[in-house]
Amino acid sequence: MSKRSHPTVIDLFAGAGLLSFAFQRSGFDIIQSVELDAAAANTYRANLGDAIRVGDVRRIHPLSQCDVLVAGPPCQGFSTLGKRNRSDPRNELCMEVVRWARRCDPSLIVVENVEAFLQAETWERLCNGLQRMGYETSAIVLNAVDFGVAQQRRRSFTFASQIGTPSVHKPRMKKCRTVLDAWTDLAPEPDGLNHHVSPAPSPLALARMKTIPPGGDKRDIMAAAPHLAPPSWWRVGCAVTDVWGRMQWDSPSNTLRTALQNPSKGRYIHPEQHRVISLREAARLHSIPDDWRFVGLPTQVARQIGNSVPPQLGRAVALACMRQLN
Ligand SMILES: C[S@@+](CC[C@H](N)C(=O)[O-])C[C@H]1O[C@@H](n2cnc3c(N)ncnc32)[C@H](O)[C@@H]1O
């Protein structure tokens, strides 16, 4: 372990810094983070300080060795929602983890991604590369809802270790945290304060929303108001059921992705009001604390939230790493 008083972390593809935040809260020093997107990096800096460098992970080098290397490479090429493009150039970015590991010699490496990453050929190459350097590799899939987050969100965590595999402890919970739990004490309607903002729907979107009951989705529009359904919906039928979805008070939300204020991209409509969720409501469903400062336009903030590891899940992973280092 490093001679600093706290074990050290380097965070690649750091986004707005929510995984760094979880490690920092768990007793780590974040010594270097790299992120391409300037707005995300500004949010990082506003909350966590100057460890962030804006740039391409492929063109930057480690400043020093570290105890833990964490990385959240882009997932579009692996996501089941995307086309699972095996030749998506972004898939190669995760191999940067091997290059950085060679330079900064961490005891532990954590790579977070979508569940389908574990089926990708790139994942095998990543593990083979790390094994050739002497690391033992393993992977688990964790659902944020099992860690007290009011959101169904399954993500893979690949560990590479020189000191044994970290074991992530799930908290004992009697029931899932729901949308209602997450929003208790929040103004029921967006008041414009602290990113509690939601775009006004267009007249067509409003008419569609009025036909959708709690837990309903695009199929309710097709059944109750067929004239509001475009021809493309009739062509594809009901294969994708989450779009134009309305949340339910007594359940966790479905996975929040980067376009979480676009009703045609997921289950993002308020349980009873005719609008998509506000950014603050999204942050609450992601276990991001109210004093976290977001920087950027609403679409950029939505991307920062949808891309991030919910801090409560990240903390369980960070504490597992801390136990393994001690
Ligand atoms: C899934 S997000 C990471 C989220 C982060 N772990 C968190 O918890 O907030 C992936 C990030 O990689 C960034 N990215 C994509 N290509 C990159 C590159 N070549 N170099 C650095 N960052 C890159 C994206 O801008 C995006 O913010």
Side-chain angles (χ1 to χ4, degrees):
M1 205 153 97
S2 63
K3 293 196 186 71
R4 288 179 173 237
S5 54
H6 299 288
T8 54
V9 168
I10 292 179
D11 185 0
L12 305 180
F13 313 99
L18 275 312
L19 189 53
S20 277
F21 172 56
F23 272 81
Q24 191 192 63
R25 271 207 315 181
S26 306
F28 289 87
D29 269 350
I30 316 297
I31 55 170
Q32 187 180 6
S33 295
V34 183
E35 167 56 41
L36 197 56
D37 179 79
N42 284 338
T43 293
Y44 186 112
R45 201 171 291 111
N47 294 280
L48 302 173
D50 287 331
I52 187 77
R53 167 106 184 261
V54 181
D56 189 327
V57 159
R58 290 168 294 189
R59 302 195 201 299
I60 293 176
H61 304 292
L63 297 174
S64 71
Q65 297 197 328
C66 65
D67 296 305
V68 185
L69 177 65
V70 305
C75 60
Q76 289 87 347
F78 312 117
S79 166
T80 47
L81 283 185
K83 295 193 183 74
R84 270 212 216 190
N85 183 356
R86 293 180 59 153
S87 55
D88 189 322
R90 287 172 296 192
N91 296 357
E92 277 311 298
L93 285 172
C94 73
M95 296 307 287
E96 279 299 300
V97 172
V98 179
R99 181 177 76 88
W100 278 69
R102 237 179 245 124
R103 302 263 189 115
C104 54
D105 191 30
S107 302
L108 279 171
I109 302 169
V110 184
V111 181
E112 181 265 347
N113 214 292
V114 292
E115 195 175 358
F117 178 49
L118 305 184
Q119 270 82 57
E121 175 265 344
T122 330
W123 179 75
E124 272 182 34
R125 277 197 290 127
L126 169 68
C127 290
N128 289 342
L130 293 170
Q131 284 162 9
R132 276 197 294 276
M133 291 169 62
Y135 286 93
E136 188 185 303
T137 62
S138 62
I140 46 171
V141 173
L142 301 173
N143 189 340
V145 81
D146 295 327
F147 295 83
V149 182
Q151 184 185 153
Q152 298 283 358
R153 186 182 185 90
R154 291 170 63 84
R155 287 293 182 267
S156 67
F157 290 83
T158 300
F159 293 109
S161 176
Q162 302 183 345
I163 54 172
T165 304
S167 154
V168 180
H169 295 178
K170 284 188 192 166
R172 278 170 204 263
M173 292 193 320
K174 287 212 176 82
K175 65 180 263 301
C176 295
R177 196 167 163 77
T178 65
V179 171
L180 183 63
D181 297 331
W183 295 351
T184 312
D185 78 352
L186 196 60
E189 300 203 5
D191 55 10
L193 299 174
N194 201 11
H195 293 90
H196 195 10
V197 286
S198 162
S202 68
L204 173 61
L206 182 64
R208 285 178 178 165
M209 286 178 191
K210 286 182 175 170
T211 69
I212 307 169
D217 51 52
K218 118 182 175 184
R219 290 170 298 185
D220 296 284
I221 306 172
M222 294 168 84
H227 60 287
L228 297 177
S232 60
W233 289 10
W234 299 104
R235 275 199 300 277
V236 297
C238 295
V240 182
T241 54
D242 233 15
V243 301
W244 288 89
R246 196 183 273 291
M247 295 183 175
Q248 301 187 85
W249 284 120
D250 57 355
S251 305
S253 76
N254 281 21
T255 305
L256 302 183
R257 298 190 178 86
T258 51
L260 54 82
Q261 289 199 307
N262 181 341
S264 72
K265 298 286 187 190
R267 189 167 290 281
Y268 303 139
I269 302 174
H270 186 278
E272 54 193 45
Q273 296 172 29
H274 300 315
R275 62 171 177 85
V276 291
I277 57 171
S278 75
L279 294 174
R280 177 54 47 204
E281 287 164 340
R284 287 280 187 100
L285 295 172
H286 221 75
S287 73
I288 298 174
D290 287 355
D291 60 1
W292 181 263
R293 291 171 58 200
F294 287 108
V295 182
L297 300 169
T299 49
Q300 293 171 321
V301 172
R303 190 178 318 130
Q304 292 168 24
I305 297 171
N307 263 339
S308 67
V309 178
Q312 231 155 284
L313 170 59
R315 187 162 157 77
V317 172
L319 289 173
C321 292
M322 186 61 94
R323 282 192 297 274
Q324 205 61 34
L325 285 167
N326 286 333

